[in-house]
């Protein structure tokens, strides 16, 4: 019996064949071109870091989702990155600790987690992101949302929509306006996130019920949220959301779900999830957060987003046109071949007289200096 185990990949991991690999690079390139055009400088981070560094840089980082093992060189615990954001935060606080603020950085690369999420079994994903470090103002949030939309659209996404949320909503309200016991806060968060009215009442959060209806198209939902906020505790947040929506209106469909918490482990007053028409699930999230600052200083505010565009990569790969591949027969003129590549042809040179241009994926053959259809 043949041994096939050597050809298997672990659950949740996969190869990208040429078409998918091309699409992945295309998505990354187009997104980074947009980020660079807005002043976001690209950084690259290692696949592995000390677990302590990844876990302590930002609140909400879930170490239990990381692959961890002992480094035989240092005998310290290492972790395979599950989120590049924390690594960028480290760069901002160390190598770029004295760079002028606000600091604009971008990145991309693979990340891995121990177990897939829900119905998505993938344990390795492409992450593309941008961080605006040194501020979490409304202006910064609006810029981040605008850039995220533009990057996705440039990469090929259609019908982009953005869903706004207020990740620290329960903390803000329970502090004074709608008091909750410490033991109730997490239960109320979970019931709001699950949109469970009965569970919310059972958890002692009956006063929070109107938040379940302040959802939907942005203009309608923000009015309901304003009506709910009779004490004005959320006034600055509501005004901020309106300002951000005004900046991005017309560039994407806007919705609001103020109590959404899933995926917002470390965001503070503002968060958003981004989607695209025809693609399942979200393509990324972003918002305001805080990072461990430079040595001896207070935590530093930041605003950013992370895109996970694997569904978009698959869509781009499926819609891509066949490449322009020109077969170069034995003895071809190298200078002519160079000129053909300069005008956009991908050339495939024969290595033997038996090479079949059609089998090699070529649509044309070089004859007498011209590209002749096969």
């Amino acid at each position: 019996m043949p041994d096939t185990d050597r050809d298997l990949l672990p659950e949740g991991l996969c190869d990208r064949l040429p078409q998918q690999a091309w699409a992945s690079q295309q998505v990354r390139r187009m997104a980074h071109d947009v980020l660079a055009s807005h002043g976001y400088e690209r950084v690259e981070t290692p696949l592995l870091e000390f677990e302590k560094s990844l876990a302590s840089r930002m609140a909400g980082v879930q170490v239990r989702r990381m692959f961890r093992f002992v480094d035989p060189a240092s005998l310290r615990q290492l972790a395979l990155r599950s989120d590049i954001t924390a690594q960028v935060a480290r760069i901002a606080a160390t190598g770029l600790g004295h760079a002028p603020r606000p600091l604009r950085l971008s990145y991309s690369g693979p990340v891995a987690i121990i177990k897939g999420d829900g119905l998505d079994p993938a344990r390795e994903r492409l992450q593309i992101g941008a961080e605006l470090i040194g501020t979490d103002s409304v202006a910064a949030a609006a810029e981040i949302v605008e850039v995220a939309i533009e990057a996705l659209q440039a990469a090929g996404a259609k019908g982009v929509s953005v869903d706004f949320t207020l990740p620290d909503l329960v903390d803000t309200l329970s502090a004074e306006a709608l008091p909750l016991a410490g033991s109730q806060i997490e239960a109320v968060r979970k019931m709001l996130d699950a949109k469970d009215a009965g569970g919310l009442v059972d958890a002692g959060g009956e006063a929070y019920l109107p938040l379940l209806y302040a959802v939907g198209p942005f203009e309608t939902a923000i009015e309901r949220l304003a009506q709910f906020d009779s004490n004005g505790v959320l006034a600055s947040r509501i005004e901020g959301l309106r300002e951000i929506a005004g900046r991005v209106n017309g560039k994407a469909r806007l919705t609001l779900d103020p109590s959404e918490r899933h995926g917002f482990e470390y965001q503070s007053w503002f968060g958003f999830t981004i989607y695209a028409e025809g693609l399942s699930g979200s393509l990324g999230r972003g918002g305001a957060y805080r990072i461990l600052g430079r040595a001896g200083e207070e935590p530093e505010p930041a605003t950013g987003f992370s895109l996970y565009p694997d569904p978009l990569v698959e869509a781009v790969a499926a819609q891509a046109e066949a490449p322009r591949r020109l077969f170069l027969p034995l003895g071809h003129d190298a200078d002519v071949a160079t000129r053909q590549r300069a005008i956009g042809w991908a050339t495939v040179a024969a290595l033997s007289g038996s090479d079949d241009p059609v089998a090699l994926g070529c649509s044309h053959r070089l004859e007498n200096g011209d590209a002749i259809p096969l």
Side-chain angles (χ1 to χ4, degrees):
M1 180 179 292
D3 180 9
T4 58
D5 284 356
R6 65 185 180 185
D7 299 325
L8 297 177
L9 285 173
E11 178 184 354
L13 304 180
C14 66
D15 296 317
R16 289 198 194 279
L17 300 184
Q19 190 82 340
Q20 288 76 28
W22 169 85
S24 176
Q25 290 303 313
Q26 177 78 352
V27 166
R28 290 174 71 168
R29 182 176 67 83
M30 299 305 291
H32 274 293
D33 284 350
V34 169
L35 297 177
S37 73
H38 285 274
Y40 288 80
E41 298 181 288
R42 189 168 180 174
V43 295
E44 294 184 354
T45 61
L47 286 169
L48 302 171
E49 287 207 31
F50 290 120
E51 176 193 353
K52 181 178 180 181
S53 176
L54 287 173
S56 63
R57 185 60 61 181
M58 296 163 54
V61 175
Q62 300 181 35
V63 177
R64 59 183 174 79
R65 301 186 69 193
M66 299 179 187
F67 287 96
R68 291 167 286 165
F69 48 92
V70 174
D71 176 15
S74 67
L75 299 182
R76 295 175 62 185
Q77 190 89 339
L78 295 179
L80 185 62
R81 68 186 184 195
S82 61
D83 184 349
I84 302 176
T85 309
Q87 296 183 295
V88 176
R90 174 182 51 74
I91 289 175
T94 55
L96 296 175
H98 296 289
R101 265 48 174 175
L103 181 64
R104 290 174 169 86
L105 300 175
S106 68
Y107 58 85
S108 65
V111 295
I113 54 176
I114 290 177
K115 185 178 180 180
D117 296 321
L119 299 177
D120 181 5
R123 295 196 290 169
E124 181 182 16
R125 299 187 292 175
L126 172 62
Q127 182 179 357
I128 303 173
E131 311 301 330
L132 183 47
I133 298 166
T135 177
D136 65 352
S137 65
V138 172
E143 177 178 313
I144 282 293
V145 176
E146 284 184 298
V147 171
I149 294 169
E150 187 178 338
L152 274 180
Q153 290 174 335
K158 308 295 183 185
V160 174
S161 63
V162 178
D163 187 41
F164 296 126
T165 187
L166 298 172
D168 68 354
L169 180 64
V170 174
D171 294 324
T172 301
L173 292 172
S174 64
E176 186 174 342
L178 300 174
L180 292 172
S183 58
Q184 294 176 303
I185 292 176
E186 186 57 31
V188 168
R189 282 201 198 104
K190 288 181 178 179
M191 293 303 104
L192 282 170
D193 205 19
K195 306 298 183 284
D196 185 341
L200 187 57
V201 173
D202 292 341
E206 185 173 358
Y208 290 76
L209 283 172
L211 291 174
L212 297 179
Y213 306 100
V215 300
F218 182 80
E219 292 301 332
T220 302
I222 198 71
E223 288 302 325
R224 290 176 179 167
L225 183 62
Q227 292 170 10
F228 165 77
D229 184 38
S230 58
N231 295 325
V233 176
L234 305 177
S236 62
R237 286 168 168 75
I238 292 171
E239 182 58 32
L241 287 176
R242 283 179 165 147
E243 185 175 334
I244 296 166
R247 283 270 299 270
V248 301
N249 189 34
K251 300 176 182 178
R253 176 175 172 266
L254 304 180
T255 58
L256 174 65
D257 185 348
S259 60
E260 174 67 38
R261 282 281 303 172
H262 180 70
F264 295 97
E265 287 84 8
Y266 53 76
Q267 281 80 9
S268 55
W269 73 271
F270 168 71
F272 67 95
T273 307
I274 194 162
Y275 303 87
E277 189 176 287
L279 301 178
S280 61
S282 69
L283 290 177
R285 295 183 178 86
Y289 60 97
R290 299 182 75 79
I291 62 175
L292 184 64
R294 290 166 282 190
E297 297 188 10
E298 293 295 320
E300 188 171 22
T303 311
F305 67 79
S306 293
L307 303 177
Y308 299 96
D310 290 301
L312 178 59
V313 168
E314 295 301 319
V316 170
Q319 297 167 7
E321 296 180 358
R324 286 162 45 92
R325 291 164 66 92
L326 176 64
F327 182 74
L328 306 177
L330 290 174
H332 66 272
D333 187 320
D335 291 335
V336 172
T338 298
R339 289 197 295 271
Q340 294 293 342
R341 285 190 289 271
I343 63 174
W345 285 101
T347 61
V348 178
L351 300 178
S352 72
S354 63
D355 284 352
D356 182 347
V358 175
L360 293 175
C362 296
S363 59
H364 291 69
R365 176 187 178 95
L366 184 65
E367 292 184 8
N368 300 319
D370 295 321
I372 307 302
L374 292 171

